[in-house]
Amino acid sequence: MKTTASPRYGPGAPQRAALLNKPAAAVVANGSRLAGVEMAPPDPILGVSEAFKASKDPNKLNLGVGAYRTEELQPLVLEVVKKAEQKMLAAGYNKEYLPIEGLDAFRQATVQLLLGSDSAAVKEGRVAVLQALSGTGSLRVGAAFIARFMKGTTVYISNPTWGNHRNIFGDEGVEWKYYRYFDPDTVGLDFKGMVEDLTAAPDGSIVLLHGCAHNPTGVDPTPQQWQEIADLCKAKGHMPFFDVAYQGFATGDLDKDAFAPRLFVDNGLEVMVAQSYSKNLGLYGERVGALNVVLSDADAAKSVLSQLKRLARAIWSNPPTHGARIAAEVVGDADMFELWKSEMAGMAGRIAKVRGELQAALESRCPDRDWSFITKQIGMFSFTGMTPQQVDNMTNKHAVFMTRDGRISLAGLSSSKVAYLADAIVDSVRNH
Amino acid sequence: MFPALALSMQQLQPAASLPLLSCLRRAYSTSGAAAATNWFSHVEMAPRDPILGVTEKFLADKNPDKINLGVGAYRDDNGQPVVLESVREAERRVAGSHFMEYLPIGGLRDFVSESVKLAYGDDSPVVAAGQVAAVQSLSGTGSCRLFAEFQRRFMPHSSVYIPVPTWSNHHNIWRDAGVAQNGYRYYKPETRGLDFEGLMEDIKNAPNGSVFLLHACAHNPTGVDPTPEQWQAMSKLMLDKSHFAFFDMAYQGFATGDCTRDAAAIRIFIDDGHRVGLSQSYAKNMGLYGQRVGCFSLVCDSAAEAAKVESQMKLIARPMYSNPPLHGALLVSKILHDADLKQQWYQEVGVMAARIKDMRGLLRHNLQQLGSPHNWQHITDQIGMFCYTGMSGEMVDTLAAAHSIYMTRNGRISMAGVNTKNVARLAEAMHAVTKEAKM
């Protein structure tokens, strides 16, 4: 492509080329300021959807990003969201800036949803709540807070975890280390390893925990195990940081899915919690979420909120209105809330159904392996244990698009495609 | 005793502080369900944001005649927020599209390409050649933050030169991104205008290859803009010095009422061969404040380079917010794509800019009628949403306390908050606090 000449550093390239008796293209002045910038690799998760879009295979199946699909493999905007948007359109809201901390109605609704409407911490004003750009933005402000106010503290993240966790803490200069989590032999939780690693960690470390429906494995601790982890955090003075991206998506029940963070708060721990409404309200692109910090006293909550605001001001100034309004409408209206609960149960129910169908299909094709993990794991994802080579076979031979860590999103699987997927998996694990 | 301990602990090396921290925590915590850990007792209350904090104070005031001249959000002649008709129509058209999926990390492509054309010109050669790397961003703040992070990574050891004064949040943004800041002379209090000689001297004295933050039009907070001739001179000098120009354009359309004229500085620089960076915001000119819609772009040497640069922009954005919000981008894209809506929008921006210009005239006229001893010419000389009145912090405090009139402590008033109903009272109050003073 023809570029415009840039006479930036004195006589332009063409003139200098003439002087040096070289073709113009060969003389690039002092070189572009940005000539050293390398091409970044595509995002390992979001890049999968791009590859899927580009594929022309008629059988292609997208099991990459965790976005819910209907049985027809179409995106879904919840009825309750459509209703809320209609209400908002009719009300003719203005588009003014929200306060830095976000929409008040949303903040109240979100913390109650998380901790329960009878939460002592909420009633006592002990929770700092900042509306943020979905889970990512909430985690990022939390990471920035940790970098500034907990200097030198290491964050322990599960092995494996959502890939973006590493980048979020890394970009804030917060050191992170893995704790053992997934046991490939049992295709379940390596609880012994987890406890060992968190015990070996220095006192006062930060522990990143998935509130429910662990991403990417789908493996969650049992209630008893959660209590043990809480006890461990207390004994070691660790600060838990919950990532709650799937409340309502694990069991289909909002309260049940909030069991772990509520347990920790009831145990008297100060915790950070990042919430996302991308999946459970289907508000993906509207970027709705919140960072909650539960403190031991109300004064600390005020100070902490003021600092969270200061950090958010330098990233986005104030959060986007649209999605927060939707969420506030839904949670704030009794009828809409009930409708939401039933729609969420519907989504979780469809996922549970395809899990069962997939397991049965695999068992009938490949009875010599244990496929029970498919229904034991919970939430949107299943960690199949497939190797990168097997995953490549899935994609290259069968046009099944998934992340190379072996994670599949059940939300992208329809009952009608179960047989196809089962064939692909069996071929990949047997022959590669 | 404990606060002092907490403070001194912050000064200890991290490794040494941990045993102390857990001792403190054991001292605080009791056994049983009521036990509380104390991670955050050392966290101090942050100061209120100087701009957004003004609105907080305004809201708390019970005077029915209170006036908010703080944040730069447009108000109509009744002091009400405005949603543009073109925006309402765009909203009606996108309603029912029922699409809420994640945008790509770089945002809505249509939105990005329309934004780039709006800023650089429909027939800009750098746009046609694919040299502009661009991503949708979280309004002006988000664009600046993406650039600041990009600067730290890819222009290491460079500092940013920021005009004195500037939007206060610029300082927060570059500081949090870990980039060193310098000031360059900009506002001359004696003339309440541009310190052009000082500015050129500072451009000249900065080390070659420095990064300069420039307000494309309607400088915030002063309202003082260079003339086209001055922009030309700055462009030439900056070329000689191989400086990098980063434009913050938050008011395209708001300065003169004409989007093309307001982007003139950028186009001067591009024509001269600069490879600029740009932050665009639709908060004011489309009234999309809370939607957080903007665009961050960098002009590169080639399409190949632009592709690489864009990939790195995304690498910065992904751990910040993953992908930008959908709604506002859909509205902007709708408006810029549709010829009728775009025309309607141009007109509406013109109306907003004209009302502000009228208010400038009225305020100055009223002050003169009251017999003010001071020269208020700068009120009509300055351009855009803000007027740098020249009033002191003490005068600002008095205006708040005694007159329920709120503005930032640097004496900046948002002309958008002035209307035919309150301009007389505003003039009287300003006269009252300034008539005895030297200004």
Side-chain angles (χ1 to χ4, degrees), chain B residues 70-341:
Chain B
V71 73
Y74 183 78
R75 296 284 177 268
D76 64 13
D77 197 53
N78 294 310
Q80 292 305 307
V82 171
V83 177
L84 302 185
E85 265 316 303
S86 49
V87 169
R88 285 261 185 250
E89 179 56 32
E91 205 151 41
R92 280 189 283 269
R93 294 188 197 179
V94 308
S97 62
H98 295 151
F99 174 84
M100 250 163 206
E101 294 297 287
Y102 289 127
L103 283 175
I105 304 175
L108 193 63
R109 287 329 292 175
D110 272 352
F111 163 82
V112 172
S113 55
E114 289 296 329
S115 292
V116 163
K117 280 180 2 203
L118 183 68
Y120 296 96
D122 284 333
D123 47 6
S124 163
V126 293
V127 175
Q131 287 172 246
V132 183
V135 294
Q136 181 186 338
S137 61
L138 298 170
S139 207
T141 304
S143 304
C144 288
R145 183 58 181 263
L146 286 177
F147 174 72
E149 297 284 343
F150 188 93
Q151 181 184 351
R152 197 195 70 233
R153 284 181 200 203
F154 297 105
M155 301 160 139
H157 317 302
S158 73
S159 59
V160 64
Y161 282 76
I162 294 186
V164 180
T166 194
W167 179 50
S168 57
N169 205 27
H170 281 146
H171 298 297
N172 298 330
I173 290 168
W174 268 271
R175 183 190 322 124
D176 278 16
V179 174
Q181 305 177 28
N182 301 92
Y184 64 84
R185 280 168 286 175
Y186 193 83
Y187 179 73
K188 198 174 203 176
E190 297 80 23
T191 59
R192 303 204 220 293
L194 183 64
D195 180 359
F196 186 62
E197 292 75 30
L199 193 162
M200 291 296 273
E201 226 178 273
D202 288 347
I203 290 177
K204 185 147 161 284
N205 292 337
N208 281 15
S210 296
V211 175
F212 271 76
L213 170 67
L214 304 162
H215 296 225
C217 63
H219 181 273
N220 177 3
T222 68
V224 169
D225 284 350
T227 62
E229 295 71 34
Q230 288 171 328
W231 277 122
Q232 300 274 8
M234 287 160 66
S235 172
K236 298 279 182 309
L237 181 55
M238 286 179 65
L239 267 184
D240 288 343
K241 296 282 300 178
S242 307
H243 288 333
F244 182 93
F246 182 71
F247 283 96
D248 184 348
M249 184 158 69
Y251 298 98
Q252 187 181 11
F254 240 103
T256 63
D258 181 327
C259 285
T260 306
R261 268 176 74 189
D262 286 352
I266 296 168
R267 298 176 196 189
I268 287 170
F269 273 58
I270 298 281
D271 285 347
D272 283 353
H274 281 279
R275 301 285 187 245
V276 307
L278 173 65
S279 158
Q280 276 171 281
S281 165
Y282 290 92
K284 282 82 170 172
N285 59 8
M286 279 201 193
L288 293 175
Y289 309 94
Q291 305 292 323
R292 320 311 294 128
V293 202
C295 185
F296 164 49
S297 56
L298 288 170
V299 179
C300 302
D301 258 20
S302 66
E305 184 179 274
K308 292 183 191 168
V309 166
E310 210 171 278
S311 74
Q312 295 291 346
M313 290 170 165
K314 291 188 213 171
L315 213 56
I316 297 172
R318 174 49 159 160
M320 231 185 239
Y321 50 84
S322 278
N323 36 68
L326 176 61
H327 193 73
L330 284 176
L331 298 177
V332 175
S333 187
K334 201 38 79 178
I335 290 171
L336 294 180
H337 245 128
D338 179 305
D340 287 342
L341 274 182

Side-chain angles (χ1 to χ4, degrees), chain A residues 362-371 426 429-430:
Chain A
L362 286 163
E363 281 165 351
S364 72
R365 284 161 177 73
C366 190
D368 50 305
R369 278 181 187 236
D370 183 2
W371 300 101
V426 170
V429 303
R430 277 215 176 117

Side-chain angles (χ1 to χ4, degrees), chain A residues 368-388:
Chain A
D368 50 305
R369 278 181 187 236
D370 183 2
W371 300 101
S372 62
F373 65 87
I374 300 222
T375 47
K376 283 200 199 120
Q377 290 166 1
I378 197 167
M380 231 182 232
F381 301 110
S382 179
F383 218 46
T384 59
M386 282 192 272
T387 65

Side-chain angles (χ1 to χ4, degrees), chain A residues 45 48-50 52-53 59-65 67 69 73 399-402 409 411-413:
Chain A
I45 301 172
V48 172
S49 288
E50 287 175 25
F52 170 81
K53 276 196 202 112
N59 289 319
K60 64 180 182 177
L61 189 60
N62 186 0
L63 303 181
V65 71
R69 295 288 176 266
L73 295 185
V400 173
F401 290 81
M402 51 187 282
S409 169
L413 180 63

